[in-house]
Amino acid sequence: MQGRSKEVESRATPAESITPPTEGSNGASVRKVWQHRHLLDLDTLSMDELELLLKTAETMQGVLQRDVKKVPTLRGRVIITLFYEASTRTRMGFEMAGKLLSADVINITVGSSSVVKGETLLDTILTLQASTADVIVIRHGDSGAPYMAARVLTHTSVVNAGDGAHAHPTQGLLDLFTVQKQLGSLTGRKIVLVGDIAYSRVARSDLWGFTRMGAQVVLCAPPTLLPWDLLNGRTECQGHPFSSVEIEPDLRKAARDADVVMALRLQQERQQAERIPSLREYARYWQVNEEVLSLAKPNALVMHPGPMNEGVEISSSVAHGAQSVVEQQVSNGLAVRMAVLYLLGAPREQ
Amino acid sequence: MTTPSSLLIRNGRVIDPSQGLDQRADVLLEDGKVAWVAVSSEKRLATDAQVIDAGGFVVCPGFVDLHCHLREPGFEDKETIASGTLAAARGGFTTVCAMPNTNPAVDSAAIVRWVAQKAQVEGYVRVLPIGCVTKGRNGKELTEMGELAEAGVIGFSDDGSPVADVNLMRTALLYSSFTGLPIIQHCEEPSLARGGMMHEGWVASRLGLKGQPSQAEEVMASRDVGLVQLTHGRLHLAHVSTAGTTAIVRWAKGSGLAVTAEVTPHHLALTDEWVLGMQDKNAVYAPLSLMAYDTNAKVNPPLRTARDIEALVAALKDGTLDAIATDHAPHAATDKECTFNEAAFGISGLETAFGLVMRLVHAGQLPLGLVIEKMTAGPAKVLGEKGRGLGSLKAGAMADVAILDPNAEWVVDRKALASKGKNTPLDGVRLKGSVVATVVGGRVAYMARTLKLTPAGRGAR
């Protein structure tokens, strides 16, 4: 293992070359902008920090296009992914991102760990820290679980890979990254989120990210799936972060002149079934299909965080059509997760 | 500590709402009863009498808590009768009513007697047991209410859960009426509240937590008031938390129905924003801190909003709410050191109750005398016959006294709580108003180091 990674290192580009080009291209200035030990949600990130992350992701994408995709940046660092919920792309994305940065990555899935013997989340987290993890990537079905982990960990970074209905910050970042790459600036873009918004962690993180970057967000869903309480007070409260967010339950009105139409997964596993009369009626009024897309701007992007229920929230033809960037979202996810691990996991110079 | 045949508490500002008293006076306790309250102690004292100089302090009847969880038998890792009643004494309470959701539940006369006897031996304050409405709290079959009453319960409750079945609640209200004791209802319509971890509002949505709407409480409160109309039974609503419920209770009382109600200190002073782990409210939409998802602020009914607090305060003032009761719900550390969804509901509240309610007094929202009334004469009145001699300093009443320093500032330290339940969202919070001594039946159950007992010989005339 040692010998092999040395070999890779000798062929790879030096670590400095993947530093994003901010303020004179050296690691120290990046550290000045980036002060966070954890990534729990996008609400804590300023516009500058979001831009730094997106620039770093851009650099990582450059690395991914090389012949040898592996760089030694996180050599000697230990990353543990701890997943209490099923996941393909997020868990694999973090594992691959860590490995391409030369970290040692250990994956723990709940079915095969001490959790089945009744170990509490708290004890699991402390055990992982005691075993010298530098970064713990955690997904949990309960909102707030990564906050609890971050509270008790004294020297390990926590990355939230999705907690309950609360947040999914790397999904939010890859959505920002995808739109920015396709359309350039995010400022003033009309982004329409369609579907199960009230109980969606993706929608929450997207809301923080897109609004902070100056985009105009419109939320569209059946009234039972709209986050009325989240937006409560946005008209009365000065400086409410979601003051520019609009609600429009009619998809044909919401989609008009949109730059991006993003369909969200109807989470059948999260007891949303009782909130709509049938999938058939849902698809009739809220499915993103060609008719809906024809109302948007001519080259509007179609997005979906996956996994898709084709024929429910999105039609197959649109999901795989010319305007769809669903696959780019997945590949951008890798660059974004590399950027996150790089900013959190690289050794800190004092 | 000591059991003098008589104890004189001198020079305090005596506030006793049961007789409209608020003046500097002396209180003599003799043989477990109040002997007299007098402006100057010209009367003769027994030679072995002891004296507490309460100059600068408020002297009032010991607090009566209509609602607490002592957890014994069955959950001794959370609390015991001994630790819970010591916490009560520290909080100025001289009588506590113990909820029956123990294991086994208090659903038979034998268990009532077991609790009462254990409290007699180990308790620091008086314990009045509450019996279950249904066997094993199963919500299906009524308990033997006559026998429970004979064994000494002060009311019936399945607290922790509501009596959800409408027809069963009707039967319970009607059947229990021959005992004269109230049904104490925890109002929570299960199908509306299901899965709700906190108040349904912007904080819950912000945190991605399922909420329970205020209407889950209000729907059942109005249903039960309707059933009182139907049965002429006696209903006491536990831990009223919403503006809507206060309106329902006000209407019920205005209609002459036998409905009483209580409110907790935490519902009077804290909002759902405490779940954010933020104690200063200047940035409600600020990024979440690591302190978010504070499981110590998870309680049922949940902490509500500033608008609800306003209505609860108004309802205390106009008599709609009869009492302030703690709903002291102690839990072991493991019950709270977990995710918000997994955490148990409940706040350990006996020792912070007075200090927390004093926030409203110092903010000018409630007069001190009213707060004391709602913690003494108010709950005693709810108890009816069972409250005779409690919550009062009239001659012949129980020698139960609290001595308070309304202006003493202190910082809550969860580790210093006498309760085994360290689950308070107030850890590290500065409160103004503390209990300096508690006397139960003429015997000092708790006394701060700032006070001392002296023999009567020298100090007293």
Side-chain angles (χ1 to χ4, degrees):
Chain A
M1 187 69 208
Q2 264 309 18
R4 234 193 100 165
S5 71
K6 257 198 183 106
E7 193 188 336
V8 173
E9 189 192 349
S10 67
R11 284 194 276 133
T13 331
E16 290 86 290
S17 74
I18 65 160
T19 303
T22 42
E23 301 176 59
S25 297
N26 65 59
S29 68
V30 172
R31 292 264 157 258
K32 258 183 235 157
V33 183
W34 188 262
Q35 301 284 353
H36 301 279
R37 178 148 74 93
H38 309 293
L39 179 67
L40 301 176
D41 194 5
L42 299 187
D43 61 344
T44 52
L45 301 186
S46 65
M47 197 169 179
D48 283 350
E49 290 166 330
L50 284 171
E51 268 167 2
L52 171 66
L53 253 163
L54 297 179
K55 271 184 197 154
T56 309
E58 188 73 50
T59 312
M60 293 302 169
Q61 202 140 54
V63 171
L64 289 171
Q65 278 150 15
R66 293 178 196 165
D67 242 14
V68 175
K69 297 177 181 62
K70 193 154 179 158
V71 291
T73 320
L74 298 186
R75 201 160 57 104
R77 303 250 124 190
V78 176
I79 296 171
I80 294 179
T81 68
L82 177 63
F83 275 57
Y84 285 80
E85 275 190 341
S87 162
T88 308
R89 59 204 82 204
T90 305
R91 199 199 56 72
M92 201 192 74
F94 275 109
E95 179 179 0
M96 191 175 284
K99 285 181 168 164
L100 293 179
L101 293 168
S102 298
D104 291 303
V105 182
I106 293 163
N107 299 312
I108 298 176
T109 41
V110 163
S112 57
S113 69
S114 296
V115 175
V116 293
K117 299 181 188 171
E119 187 174 65
T120 64
L121 174 63
L122 185 67
D123 286 341
T124 304
I125 295 286
L126 292 173
T127 304
L128 297 186
Q129 172 166 263
S131 57
T132 72
D134 296 294
V135 179
I136 295 177
V137 178
I138 178 169
R139 167 170 291 191
H140 200 287
D142 289 350
S143 300
Y147 288 77
M148 192 188 99
R151 254 197 313 267
V152 299
L153 291 172
T154 52
H155 50 269
T156 301
S157 293
V158 175
V159 178
N160 183 0
D163 65 324
H166 171 243
H168 193 351
T170 57
Q171 179 70 44
L173 286 169
L174 76 87
D175 289 340
L176 292 185
F177 187 56
T178 304
V179 175
Q180 197 191 51
K181 276 186 76 75
Q182 297 290 327
L183 301 180
S185 164
L186 286 156
T187 317
R189 297 292 183 183
K190 181 177 176 184
I191 318 274
V192 183
L193 301 184
V194 193
D196 178 7
I197 294 159
Y199 303 92
S200 167
R201 57 192 175 207
V202 174
R204 275 184 178 64
S205 287
D206 275 345
L207 260 176
W208 285 108
F210 281 120
T211 53
R212 193 139 296 162
M213 296 301 282
Q216 163 68 45
V217 179
V218 180
L219 304 177
C220 176
T224 46
L225 297 177
L226 280 169
W228 300 103
D229 287 329
L230 184 66
L231 304 174
N232 200 2
R234 71 192 193 287
T235 44
E236 305 99 77
C237 180
Q238 277 272 312
H240 191 294
F242 303 143
S243 54
S244 67
V245 174
E246 282 173 35
I247 283 187
E248 176 51 71
D250 183 344
L251 181 53
R252 273 120 196 109
K253 285 184 190 154
R256 198 149 291 151
D257 298 321
D259 293 287
V260 175
V261 179
M262 189 189 304
L264 294 169
R265 179 177 171 75
L266 192 68
Q267 304 197 52
Q268 287 147 351
E269 70 272 20
R270 280 188 212 279
Q271 42 144 39
Q272 258 40 284
E274 64 189 43
R275 295 175 191 274
I276 51 167
S278 68
L279 293 180
R280 186 177 157 275
E281 173 150 321
Y282 181 84
R284 176 165 173 190
Y285 294 109
W286 290 282
Q287 184 185 78
V288 176
N289 53 31
E290 267 153 1
E291 182 216 337
V292 168
L293 199 54
S294 71
L295 301 167
K297 284 195 182 148
N299 292 314
L301 306 179
V302 173
M303 299 175 71
H304 191 297
M308 295 189 279
N309 302 305
E310 287 181 33
V312 182
E313 70 261 6
I314 191 166
S315 72
S316 293
S317 60
V318 163
H320 302 289
Q323 286 167 263
S324 167
V325 291
V326 173
E327 279 171 40
Q328 282 94 312
Q329 284 178 276
V330 177
S331 58
N332 289 341
L334 182 55
V336 160
R337 287 175 179 124
M338 286 172 79
V340 168
L341 292 178
Y342 167 75
L343 288 172
L344 296 178
R348 264 146 236 254
E349 300 109 36
Q350 289 308 307
Chain B
M1 279 185 205
T2 61
T3 318
S5 71
S6 53
L7 178 64
L8 180 70
I9 301 168
R10 293 182 58 207
N11 293 328
R13 174 184 167 194
V14 177
I15 300 181
D16 180 11
S18 77
Q19 47 183 322
L21 195 66
D22 181 353
Q23 65 181 93
R24 176 181 285 266
D26 298 349
V27 180
L28 182 71
L29 309 176
E30 240 169 11
D31 301 323
K33 299 280 164 63
V34 176
W36 43 255
V37 177
V39 176
S40 63
S41 317
E42 296 300 340
K43 308 183 185 184
R44 258 187 30 190
L45 291 180
T47 47
D48 69 338
Q50 291 197 286
V51 177
I52 294 174
D53 189 341
F57 298 129
V58 167
V59 175
C60 68
F63 298 152
V64 177
D65 189 4
L66 291 176
H67 189 149
C68 78
H69 298 268
L70 298 181
R71 304 297 190 205
E72 196 177 353
F75 303 104
E76 291 83 354
D77 57 328
K78 296 174 190 276
E79 192 79 289
T80 61
I81 288 170
S83 64
T85 53
L86 180 59
R90 294 249 210 130
F93 294 92
T94 51
T95 301
V96 296
C97 300
M99 278 294 173
N101 58 337
T102 49
N103 186 19
V106 184
D107 62 357
S108 71
I111 304 172
V112 175
R113 292 198 184 94
W114 185 88
V115 170
Q117 275 163 20
K118 186 114 175 154
Q120 197 98 54
V121 177
E122 296 177 11
Y124 290 81
V125 306
R126 297 176 204 282
V127 175
L128 303 178
I130 298 168
C132 295
V133 178
T134 64
K135 288 181 183 134
R137 303 175 63 246
N138 67 5
K140 295 195 177 84
E141 277 175 280
L142 292 187
T143 52
E144 292 162 332
M145 290 177 165
E147 277 195 16
L148 289 172
E150 212 179 304
V153 301
I154 56 92
F156 307 99
S157 182
D158 278 358
D159 184 64
S161 320
V163 178
D165 186 285
V166 197
N167 193 47
L168 185 72
M169 186 61 177
R170 173 191 180 171
T171 311
L173 281 165
L174 187 55
Y175 184 80
S176 63
S177 61
F178 88 97
T179 68
L181 301 175
I183 302 289
I184 303 171
Q185 177 73 306
H186 164 129
C187 291
E188 177 187 341
E189 170 51 41
S191 65
L192 257 183
R194 188 169 298 135
M197 296 291 149
M198 64 175 296
H199 173 65
E200 183 173 312
W202 76 265
V203 179
S205 187
R206 169 85 177 81
L207 293 169
L209 293 170
K210 190 160 186 314
Q212 48 168 291
S214 298
Q215 284 73 12
E217 174 175 307
E218 294 156 3
V219 162
M220 192 170 282
S222 68
R223 180 199 86 170
D224 287 353
V225 164
L227 293 177
V228 172
Q229 269 184 309
L230 184 62
T231 59
H232 302 288
R234 240 188 104 192
L235 176 68
H236 177 72
L237 296 181
H239 44 52
V240 168
S241 71
T242 81
T245 309
T246 63
I248 292 160
V249 176
R250 189 173 291 120
W251 180 86
K253 288 191 164 181
S255 307
L257 300 175
V259 175
T260 52
E262 71 191 30
V263 59
T264 72
H266 48 270
H267 288 113
L268 277 172
L270 310 179
T271 66
D272 59 347
E273 290 171 29
W274 281 69
V275 179
L276 294 169
M278 278 195 299
Q279 287 151 22
D280 69 288
K281 301 287 156 45
N282 50 18
V284 285
Y285 287 94
L288 294 187
S289 77
L290 290 189
M291 302 316 289
Y293 300 94
D294 184 359
T295 55
N296 286 314
K298 180 176 175 180
V299 62
N300 198 16
L303 301 177
R304 305 284 185 185
T305 67
R307 197 182 69 87
D308 293 300
I309 288 178
E310 218 173 281
L312 293 169
V313 167
L316 271 177
K317 284 184 176 165
D318 73 7
T320 301
L321 296 174
D322 302 272
I324 295 172
T326 65
D327 192 9
H328 173 74
H331 286 292
T334 49
D335 301 323
K336 290 289 193 179
E337 285 173 359
C338 49
T339 67
F340 201 85
N341 282 31
E342 293 164 340
F345 289 98
I347 290 175
S348 179
L350 281 167
E351 290 159 89
T352 53
F354 178 65
L356 192 52
V357 175
M358 283 303 291
R359 282 193 155 195
L360 297 162
V361 175
H362 291 300
Q365 292 171 276
L366 284 176
L368 176 62
L370 186 75
V371 162
I372 291 174
E373 182 194 333
K374 300 296 180 180
M375 296 177 83
T376 57
K381 198 171 164 203
V382 171
L383 288 171
E385 274 302 298
K386 301 279 181 183
R388 190 185 284 254
L390 300 177
S392 171
L393 295 178
K394 286 181 186 161
M398 299 294 176
D400 295 353
V401 180
I403 305 179
L404 314 169
D405 185 345
N407 296 312
E409 294 195 27
W410 59 292
V411 176
V412 179
D413 174 6
R414 55 190 299 194
K415 292 195 285 298
L417 295 179
S419 169
K420 291 177 92 170
K422 313 299 181 192
N423 47 306
T424 172
L426 298 170
D427 188 39
V429 172
R430 181 173 292 276
L431 297 180
K432 191 173 174 188
S434 75
V435 176
V436 290
T438 306
V439 177
V440 182
R443 176 176 168 276
V444 175
Y446 165 70
M447 190 157 76
R449 268 169 289 180
T450 46
L451 279 188
K452 56 181 189 292
L453 275 176
T454 53
R458 284 157 295 161
R461 285 146 299 183

